[in-house]
Amino acid sequence: MNVAVIGKGGREHAIVKMLANSKSVNNIYAIPGNAGMREICEVMYRVNEDDFDAIAGICIEKQVDWVVIGDAGPLSLGLADFLIDEYGLTVFGPRKHEARMETSKSFTKNLLKKYNIPTADFKVFNSYEKAEQYIETAVPPYVIKKDGLTEGKGVVIVKESEEGLKALKDLAEFSDEGEMEPLIFEEYLEGEEFSLMVMVNEEYTHAFEVIAQDHKSAFGKEKGPNTGGMGAYAPVTHISEAVRQEAVKNIIEPTAAAMVKEGMSYFGILYLGAMLTDDGVKVLEYNARFGDPEAQVLLSMIDSDFACILEHVQRKEPVKINWKAGYTVGIMLATEGYPYEYKRGIGIAFTDEIMDRSFISGLAQTENGDYISSGGRIMLVTGTGGTIEEALSSAYSGVERIEFNKNEVFYRTDIAHRAL
C-alpha cells in the first residue's frame, strides 16, 4: 500500500518511521514532512498542511491507499472530511466534528459531565468581567485553560489570586464582536499524570497496553510555563495495570459510547491525558491525535506491523500489539525563550547515529546540508535500556554528543524523575 502522512513534527516523524518498517507499505509521502524524514520517505516540503487541493492531488497522483493525519491543525480545518467526501480516501484521523474532542475543551467537558465520566469540576466563562469576579472569590489552586488549540501552551495553574488575574489577562482573546473566547476554569487535581493512546473506530476501542508520562513544564522540578512537552518515557511501571484497566473501563469505553450516542463517528487516535487521584482516574484532557512527544517514545517501542494494526482497527477486529522489552526515554531540545518565542537559524550538529534515534520537531537544512533550528522545540533524542536508569543514561549521553550553543538551546535534566 501507499501511505501519506500529514504533518511536519516529531510525531509525524515517528509515524513515518513505523510505516517504513511495515512489510505491506510500498511508498510513504510526508506532507510537508521535515528534514529527518528525507532518508526514509518522499518529502513534499513545498505543500502546506492547509492546502487541501494540493494534498488531494498528491494522494490521487501517487495512488495513496491510506492518509494518516498526525497534526491537530488540519484536523480542526476539516482535512479528513475533504479527503473522504470529495475523493473517497481512507483517512486515519477524525473529521472536524469529531475533532472537537480536542479543538473545544468546553465541548469535551460538557460531554464528560453529561455522561458522568470522571473529570475535574469546571466552569466555562465567555465574559471577562464574570471571569474576573470568579477569580476574586475563587480559592487557589485551580487551572485556567483556553478552549481551543494551544499546542499545550494555553494552560495556567493558578496558585495565588494575583496569578489568576494575570492569567486571565494573558489568556483572554476576543472576537471581532468583542465577545471573549471561552475560558475553562478547572478544579486542580493532584496525583500522578499519565498518557494513554487509544485507537478508536466508533464504539470500537483498543488502548495501548503501555502508558507514557510526559513532562509539560519548561524547566526541571515542574517549574516554568506549560509547553507542548519537554520529554517523555515509557513504560510507567509505578502506575499499575489495574489503573490502566480502570481508565479503559471507566473513561475510554464510556467516552466512545457517549460519542456514538451523540451522533459522532470517530476514527483515529484518541489521546487520554489522565490523572490518578485519590478518587480514582480522571480525565485531564483529550487530544484527537497522538501525543507529542509520547508518540515518539511509544511508537518506537512497538514491535508489530503498524499498517496491519490500522487495517484491523478499520475493520473493528481484535488487535494484538507486540511491545519491545525494556524502557525508552526521550529528551527534548528547545530554543531559548520557548514556549513564548524562539529563534530560527541556531546551528545544531550531530551524527547519523544520533539522527537514527531522534525525532525532528523543528529543524531545517541549509543549502550546505547543515541543520538549523526552525521551531521552538528542535528534536527529541531517545535512549533505550533494560532499566529506566540505563535508558536515561543512553538518552542523556546522546544529548551530550550533539553540538549546540548552550546559551541558545536548553533541555530538562530531570526527565523520568517520577520513575526513579
Side-chain angles (χ1 to χ4, degrees):
M1 69 171 70
N2 297 328
V3 185
V5 177
I6 313 300
K8 59 185 176 183
R11 169 181 47 240
E12 291 76 37
H13 193 178
I15 294 170
V16 165
K17 279 189 176 183
M18 280 295 298
L19 291 169
N21 293 326
S22 294
K23 294 180 180 179
S24 58
V25 173
N26 299 318
N27 300 291
I28 306 169
Y29 306 97
I31 310 172
N34 65 38
M37 303 180 194
R38 291 177 179 172
E39 299 299 320
I40 51 178
C41 72
E42 189 170 345
V43 177
M44 308 291 186
Y45 62 91
R46 295 185 184 275
V47 179
N48 292 326
E49 295 165 85
D50 59 358
D51 191 341
F52 289 9
D53 288 322
I55 292 171
I58 292 170
C59 291
I60 299 304
E61 178 188 351
K62 302 296 186 180
Q63 298 182 326
V64 165
D65 301 287
W66 275 80
V67 180
V68 179
I69 303 176
D71 187 40
L75 290 173
S76 72
L77 296 174
L79 178 58
D81 306 65
F82 181 76
L83 297 177
I84 295 167
D85 296 339
E86 298 295 327
Y87 296 94
L89 293 168
T90 300
V91 179
F92 189 69
R95 291 174 176 265
K96 183 176 181 178
H97 180 72
E98 283 72 21
R100 287 184 299 167
M101 294 298 291
E102 175 171 7
T103 61
S104 175
K105 292 181 179 66
S106 59
F107 170 82
T108 301
K109 294 293 287 189
N110 285 317
L111 179 77
L112 297 174
K113 182 178 179 180
K114 180 177 179 179
Y115 289 93
N116 296 313
I117 297 168
T119 189
D121 291 338
F122 69 100
K123 294 180 182 294
V124 180
F125 290 95
N126 293 86
S127 163
Y128 190 96
E129 291 73 21
K130 290 183 179 179
E132 195 172 38
Q133 292 169 9
Y134 176 80
I135 290 171
E136 291 173 354
T137 59
V139 179
Y142 55 87
V143 183
I144 306 178
K145 298 180 179 180
K146 285 186 175 182
D147 185 60
L149 295 176
T150 61
E151 297 182 345
K153 300 185 280 282
V155 178
V156 175
I157 299 173
V158 176
K159 297 179 181 177
E160 297 178 358
S161 296
E162 293 76 10
E163 291 178 345
L165 294 172
K166 183 180 184 304
L168 174 61
K169 183 178 180 180
D170 292 342
L171 296 178
E173 294 183 355
F174 298 88
S175 66
D176 294 338
E177 293 74 28
E179 184 176 349
M180 188 179 77
E181 299 295 331
L183 286 177
I184 295 88
F185 284 62
E186 278 190 357
E187 168 195 13
Y188 176 75
L189 298 178
E190 292 191 19
E192 281 278 353
E193 187 173 344
F194 65 92
S195 306
L196 181 60
M197 307 298 156
V198 187
M199 296 175 290
V200 178
N201 186 356
E202 297 178 333
E203 77 289 346
Y204 169 101
T205 66
H206 182 94
F208 277 16
E209 293 81 3
V210 175
I211 61 176
Q213 265 191 339
D214 187 14
H215 295 67
K216 289 292 188 186
S217 60
F219 312 123
K221 298 181 179 179
E222 308 307 325
K223 296 186 181 300
N226 229 49
T227 72
M230 292 300 297
Y233 71 97
V236 186
T237 51
H238 62 281
I239 296 180
S240 69
E241 170 62 12
V243 171
R244 191 191 72 89
Q245 291 285 359
E246 178 186 343
V248 171
K249 181 180 178 182
N250 295 344
I251 293 175
I252 295 300
E253 292 176 352
T255 297
M259 287 193 292
V260 171
K261 289 178 181 177
E262 294 295 314
M264 301 168 70
S265 182
Y266 198 105
F267 181 51
I269 288 291
L270 190 65
Y271 160 120
L272 168 66
M275 182 73 80
L276 174 58
T277 74
D278 291 340
D279 297 324
V281 181
K282 295 186 178 183
V283 178
L284 287 178
E285 64 174 350
Y286 273 124
N287 290 332
R289 37 70 188 179
F290 281 113
D292 181 349
E294 298 98 320
Q296 293 89 301
V297 169
L298 289 167
L299 291 179
S300 65
M301 296 181 69
I302 292 178
D303 199 22
S304 297
D305 190 305
F306 190 57
C308 290
I309 291 173
L310 295 182
E311 290 183 316
H312 281 294
V313 175
Q314 182 193 28
R315 296 191 293 263
K316 300 183 180 180
E317 297 173 347
V319 173
K320 178 176 173 54
I321 301 178
N322 296 319
W323 297 88
K324 297 174 184 176
Y327 293 78
T328 299
V329 174
I331 314 295
M332 185 69 74
L333 272 61
T335 61
E336 191 66 31
Y338 174 78
Y340 299 121
E341 57 186 25
Y342 61 89
K343 182 179 178 182
R344 296 177 182 271
I346 298 172
I348 308 287
F350 47 85
T351 64
D352 290 341
E353 189 273 333
I354 295 297
M355 173 63 88
D356 288 343
R357 58 186 176 110
S358 297
F359 299 91
I360 302 306
S361 297
L363 273 184
Q365 278 183 295
T366 66
E367 292 182 357
N368 296 326
D370 297 328
Y371 289 105
I372 56 174
S373 65
S374 61
R377 293 190 299 174
I378 299 171
M379 61 193 294
L380 185 84
V381 184
T382 65
T384 60
T387 65
I388 188 67
E389 290 84 0
E390 290 175 357
L392 274 167
S393 176
S394 174
Y396 279 112
S397 68
V399 171
E400 291 168 1
R401 289 164 55 194
I402 300 173
E403 297 178 21
F404 56 84
N405 186 329
K406 293 184 179 180
N407 292 322
E408 296 181 306
V409 176
F410 76 98
Y411 59 91
R412 281 183 56 164
T413 58
D414 66 337
I415 301 301
H417 64 88
R418 296 184 187 90
L420 298 176

